[in-house]
Amino acid sequence: MDISRPTMEVATASATALIGAVVCYGALQNGISWADGAPQPGYFPFYIGCLIIFGSAVTAVQTLIRRDGETGAFLDGARLRTVAAFFLPIVGFTLISGFLGLYIGMAIYVFYAMLTAAKFRLHNAALTALVVVVVNFVIFEKLFTVPLLKGPVLEYFGIY
Amino acid sequence: MGNFGQLMDGFAVALTAHHVLIMIVGVLLGLVVGVLPGLGAPNGVSLLLPLTFTMDPISAIILLTSMYWGALFGGSTTSILFNIPGEPSSVATTFDGYPMAKQGQAVRALSLAFSSAGIGALTGVIVITLLSGWVAQFAMRFGAAEYFAVYFMAFASFIGMAGGSPFKTLVAMMLGFAAATVGMDTISGESRLTFEFDELIGGISFLIAVIGLFGLGELLLTMEEGLKFEGVKAKLDLRTIFRTVAEVPRYWATLVRSALIGCWMGITPGGPTAASFMSYALGRRFSRRGRHFGKGEPEGIIAPETADHSAGSCALLPMLALGIPGSATSAVMMGGLMIWGLSPGPMLFTTQPDFVWGLIASMYMGNIIAVVLVLATVPLFAYILKAPFTVVGPMITVVCVIGAYTVASHTFDIWLALLFGLAGYVFKKLDYPLAPFVLAMVLGDKAEDAFRQAMLTSDGSPAIFFSNGLVSTMMGLGIFLLLLPAITALAGRIRSGAHKAEAA
């Protein structure tokens, strides 16, 4: 499964153009004209949105015209898997942190990453996870007194 | 001589034991950030910023700027020893630094890099000392229209002087503006582009964008490329260091040229990365030994390093004096100033002289501390980098996720950072520049306010942007810069046309 660079260029330009359209639509809701001698709140964002669409359109057209130029691969299957294997656990980390708090989230994430990506042994991975949690707890809760999200489990044990 | 007296007062502020300690901590943190690929200066400063909210502003800015110096120096270490630039701005250092290190002269390469970097940085700071007060005084006459013209010029120069596609720069920049408008409108109080999402009413913090784009995006890219460290061993001995430092003055022509390029690129928003590449290219063209560039030439190390650091420090001049940052990192710092309740710009020099001159004085000290510390810690960081990236990567991820959360204690922000991370990864691979995005996000509100206020005073007539000599000159320059890519393309076509005509 290879994704070619021109394909990705056009896809990205379409995505940015879509964002531009959303910005224009949102600006229209605020009003883009002049009222009482002053621009309405949507005036400035509307033109920003138009410029995004303009820039995206030119980029897409340039890619399509210069088809012969850059035809290299953007991403091949193996690389896509590497990136996904790194990114998906971070999504999991964020998801778990939302429910159980950042400390439990980071413990599970570090444990998993050390076990699979870094190929640590079970007890070494667990130890690393513990060290990361303790170091972060000391830095944020004690040194800088910036509380991180605790979640229900830590609160149950009386750690705020 | 007013500046000199104020600088001395500044030294009195900066040279307390407390502040020197902060500088050392900042430089060390910066070195870590600079050495590790995936953690860069803009991202490092963003991560540290939420922790400074409770500090007093002068200590906070000294911590952040010291971290910035450390990151600039740290980036060069990995470039030379591992052929892996820790920072985008030290890519050009790998061209000659790594070959020289491979020839067994790692210490010479490092000493050359650090001493020329130190000279570059000090040149930059001297330029700031001499010019900032003057620029600020000049800017005191600015009204809303003039401010908009300055912003316009800054953004136009990004598009005009961008290396890649000007349209991609335009898209990146306008996306930044759009992101800045999300949330409550400061003038009317209406909520904009929030589409009924409660989480978006407070707006999108530029810190989240930086952590995603520069932090997570960079990590994904590094992971994909399958990073392997193939280090060169470096044993430091003082004799080689001193001999190399004594060798540096011989390259005075390269030093002067590179420092000038750096100062210029730093003040105009070209940034350190562009400066170091340009300086390397010009160095190769002007040097008598230009043919040998790329094989471990001393001048090939001195040129990019000097320019990188003088641009890095000069980027703080427009931030302080005009409220317009010259690089992504200084954009983040300026955001910090606003969060601490200071408004960057010419008024800062009259209302907060202690802050401004304390900061400038700390730049002299911070860079000297950075040179010493970076030499002292080379063996330590060479050791850290032996750890495989599959271990280091997840640790950096944890730091980024926590950093995204600490900005405002919202889990929603972590999701946003992940989204920005994916966007940053794709944008980087497709050569969209990221610095204009961050700059537009930080300056978006201010540029829009200036525009709307100017239009209010003129009753909606755009003629106000050409109402006097100063503002018309700036707008004219801005328009010229915008059209620069088109002009060069046209000139190139005419010239090639002429060649064809001659041939026929």
Side-chain angles (χ1 to χ4, degrees), chain B residues 1-155:
Chain B
M1 253 1 244
N3 278 7
F4 186 72
Q6 283 172 312
L7 183 65
M8 287 300 124
D9 291 343
F11 272 114
V13 176
L15 282 180
T16 56
H18 175 61
H19 283 157
V20 171
L21 194 71
I22 286 183
M23 281 179 218
I24 294 175
V25 172
V27 167
L28 281 176
L29 281 174
L31 285 173
V32 174
V33 161
V35 163
L36 293 175
L39 264 183
N43 188 38
V45 174
S46 314
L47 290 169
L48 201 59
L49 192 55
L51 302 182
T52 64
F53 291 163
T54 49
M55 296 166 82
D56 74 297
I58 180 73
S59 309
I61 191 81
I62 289 179
L63 181 66
L64 294 187
T65 46
S66 302
M67 183 177 195
Y68 183 33
W69 313 135
L72 285 174
F73 278 98
S76 320
T77 313
T78 47
S79 293
I80 291 169
L81 291 182
F82 299 95
N83 204 20
I84 292 162
E87 291 285 302
S89 62
S90 43
V91 172
T93 310
T94 59
F95 300 159
D96 277 278
Y98 185 65
M100 185 187 269
K102 263 186 114 176
Q103 291 159 18
Q105 296 182 308
V107 181
R108 183 168 171 234
L110 286 170
S111 313
L112 275 175
F114 297 147
S115 46
S116 53
I119 293 172
L122 286 179
T123 318
V125 183
I126 291 170
V127 168
I128 292 183
T129 312
L130 295 176
L131 290 186
S132 58
W134 180 74
V135 174
Q137 230 159 36
F138 181 68
M140 287 293 261
R141 292 189 282 156
F142 284 13
E146 280 82 0
Y147 265 111
F148 181 75
V150 173
Y151 294 133
F152 179 69
M153 217 162 66
F155 287 112

Side-chain angles (χ1 to χ4, degrees), chain A residues 99-101 104 149-160:
Chain A
F99 293 107
L100 295 176
I104 293 178
L149 191 67
K150 302 292 188 309
V153 180
L154 264 67
E155 276 171 19
Y156 178 78
F157 286 105
I159 304 171
Y160 290 101

Side-chain angles (χ1 to χ4, degrees), chain A residues 93 96-97 100-109 133 150 153-154:
Chain A
F93 175 13
I96 294 170
S97 297
L100 295 176
L102 271 167
Y103 288 107
I104 293 178
M106 87 176 74
I108 296 173
Y109 169 72
V133 170
K150 302 292 188 309
V153 180
L154 264 67

